[in-house]
């Protein structure tokens, strides 16, 4: 991965004492103001950072090629997609749909255009990709399911952690009799950014006057 390669480059730069990327270190080194032990410590820190980075992103590195499916479904080989991850989506026709899709110039050209547009623009990439997938007809439903499943993958776990925190607050010992449906609704309301127009909603309801 790009960042890991940079860390290796930085680490080598320190080991060889060229300091191309560390001008302040180079200046102090030329003045012989750097203790060798401090330099070794700095080198070891870089090594630890590199190891941590590689271990944390091992899963992404392993499945990275599969993520290219969202913009290159016309080029990716079917065996790259681990269908075990998507069995819950009922994608029995995936293989047949892939054959039909790759045989269709109309739809493969659409994704080629998408890649070109992504390279030439800086904003709204998610919208461009999701719009492209939404335009696929129902005969490619299995492809669409996998495309949107990959597209909706979170880049971090903070959303999950946020939901668990809210669940702990909602399902307290004083609210232990909440049904599953009500609990689900409460969690959704607590974690969503959706802001309903209460004025508009209440205006559509017939009010009952007091007696």
């Amino acid at each position: 991965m790009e960042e890991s390669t940079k860390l290796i480059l930085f680490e080598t730069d320190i080991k060889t004492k060229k300091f191309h990327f560390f001008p302040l270190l180079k200046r102090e080194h030329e003045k012989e103001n750097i203790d060798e032990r401090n330099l070794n410590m700095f080198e070891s820190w870089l090594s630890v950072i590199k190891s941590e980075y590689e271990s944390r992103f091992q899963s992404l590195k392993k499945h990275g090629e599969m993520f290219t499916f969202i913009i290159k479904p016309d080029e990716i080989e079917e065996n790259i997609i681990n269908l075990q991850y998507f069995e819950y989506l009922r994608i029995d026709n995936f293989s047949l749909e892939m054959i039909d899709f790759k045989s269709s110039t109309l739809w493969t050209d659409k994704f080629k255009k998408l890649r070109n547009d992504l390279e030439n623009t800086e904003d709204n990439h998610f919208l461009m990709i999701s719009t492209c997938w939404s335009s696929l007809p129902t005969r490619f439903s299995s492809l669409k399911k996998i495309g949107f499943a990959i597209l909706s993958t979170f880049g971090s776990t903070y959303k999950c952690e946020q939901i668990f925190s809210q669940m702990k607050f909602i399902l307290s010992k004083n609210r232990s009799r909440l049904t599953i449906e009500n609990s689900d609704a409460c969690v959704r309301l607590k974690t969503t950014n959706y802001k309903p127009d209460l004025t508009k909603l209440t205006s559509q309801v017939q009010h009952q006057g007091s007696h």
Side-chain angles (χ1 to χ4, degrees):
M1 296 180 70
E2 180 183 348
E3 299 303 326
S4 180
T5 305
K6 288 180 180 178
L7 288 170
I8 293 172
L9 183 62
F10 294 157
E11 188 179 21
T12 304
D13 192 41
I14 296 293
K15 285 181 178 179
T16 57
K17 298 181 181 179
K18 293 181 179 179
F19 305 116
H20 291 309
F21 307 102
F22 304 95
L24 294 179
L25 278 178
K26 183 176 183 179
R27 186 182 66 189
E28 295 302 314
H29 180 66
E30 290 172 349
K31 294 179 181 179
E32 298 184 352
N33 289 336
I34 297 181
D35 190 315
E36 194 69 25
R37 290 173 298 179
N38 292 335
L39 197 60
N40 291 337
M41 185 181 297
F42 189 46
E43 183 183 323
S44 66
W45 286 345
L46 272 176
S47 180
V48 169
I49 292 172
K50 180 170 68 70
S51 298
E52 281 286 321
Y53 184 90
E54 289 175 347
S55 64
R56 290 193 178 196
F57 288 89
Q58 195 63 240
S59 179
L60 182 60
K61 186 177 181 180
K62 178 181 178 182
H63 303 298
E65 196 171 2
M66 185 172 69
F67 282 95
T68 63
F69 178 74
I70 59 174
I71 60 172
K72 295 182 178 180
D74 53 311
E75 294 183 0
I76 198 168
E77 295 297 326
E78 183 183 337
N79 61 348
I80 298 298
I81 305 296
N82 191 337
L83 297 180
Q84 290 182 340
Y85 295 135
F86 309 103
E87 288 179 347
Y88 68 98
L89 295 173
R90 297 181 181 178
I91 50 170
D92 299 334
N93 294 326
F94 176 75
S95 297
L96 289 174
E97 290 180 18
M98 279 290 283
I99 295 173
D100 291 340
F101 175 79
K102 289 185 176 183
S103 301
S104 172
T105 306
L106 172 66
W107 296 109
T108 54
D109 284 351
K110 196 174 186 69
F111 279 89
K112 290 176 183 177
K113 182 179 183 302
L114 169 66
R115 292 194 290 273
N116 183 64
D117 292 341
L118 291 173
E119 289 179 2
N120 295 312
T121 57
E122 296 182 358
D123 302 318
N124 299 322
H125 284 184
F126 178 83
L127 179 61
M128 292 165 64
I129 296 171
S130 58
T131 300
C132 189
W133 277 100
S134 296
S135 67
L136 288 179
T138 54
R139 63 191 178 100
F140 298 128
S141 60
S142 295
L143 270 70
K144 290 179 72 172
K145 288 177 182 178
I146 292 179
F148 279 112
I150 296 176
L151 192 59
S152 61
T153 303
F154 287 111
S156 72
T157 60
Y158 87 95
K159 276 291 184 183
C160 296
E161 294 167 3
Q162 182 187 45
I163 290 173
F164 282 127
S165 297
Q166 298 298 346
M167 284 177 64
K168 185 177 179 181
F169 174 76
I170 292 168
L171 300 176
S172 64
K173 62 180 181 180
N174 297 322
R175 308 178 76 184
S176 59
R177 299 179 69 178
L178 277 175
T179 63
I180 294 176
E181 290 78 10
N182 287 340
S183 300
D184 180 64
C186 288
V187 171
R188 288 175 182 272
L189 286 171
K190 195 69 176 177
T191 56
T192 185
N193 292 324
Y194 174 68
K195 296 181 179 179
D197 187 341
L198 297 178
T199 303
K200 182 178 180 180
L201 290 172
T202 54
S203 67
Q204 298 172 353
V205 178
Q206 183 176 358
H207 299 279
Q208 182 176 353
S210 58
H211 297 287

